[in-house]
Amino acid sequence: MMGQNASRDLAFKICPRCTGPIEVRGDVVIAAASRATPERDIEICGLCGNDEAMGGLVAVASWPIQDPEDPHEFARPLQNQINEFLMNRGVAL
């Protein structure tokens, strides 16, 4: 259970790849490093990180991804499998 301060410190940044949320808790940014740049110095959301890891590289010049259906076409099936696995184990998401 989160304390009062922990919930107040919860914030979000915007993922430059999909314009979705990147969670920030206090000084901790819960993000992935984009593989679209050699330095991997651009923070993106976890789904975009999964997407890039599975081969969905999109040039930074093409960001944000303009697919309103599902900008995480590669990552979504993996994320759904992970969510189902966690729910079957009784782990709250």
Side-chain angles (χ1 to χ4, degrees):
M1 185 165 127
M2 290 192 299
Q4 240 178 349
N5 289 341
S7 63
R8 188 176 55 218
D9 290 342
L10 177 64
F12 292 97
K13 293 172 71 175
I14 301 297
C15 175
R17 187 174 186 267
C18 72
T19 66
I22 297 175
E23 190 174 332
V24 180
R25 290 186 180 270
D27 294 335
V28 178
V29 178
I30 303 170
S34 176
R35 291 169 169 82
T37 57
E39 300 84 19
R40 293 184 68 169
D41 58 349
I42 297 176
E43 292 177 339
I44 57 176
C45 70
L47 275 177
C48 281
N50 286 345
D51 189 38
E52 289 189 1
M54 297 178 68
L57 288 180
V58 175
V60 175
S62 298
W63 290 1
I65 297 171
Q66 297 294 320
D67 182 0
E69 295 293 321
D70 188 356
H72 307 101
E73 62 180 308
F74 293 98
R76 185 75 62 194
L78 174 64
Q79 189 64 49
N80 289 341
Q81 288 176 2
I82 292 169
N83 291 345
E84 185 176 335
F85 172 77
L86 292 174
M87 285 191 296
N88 289 337
R89 295 194 63 187
V91 178
L93 300 176

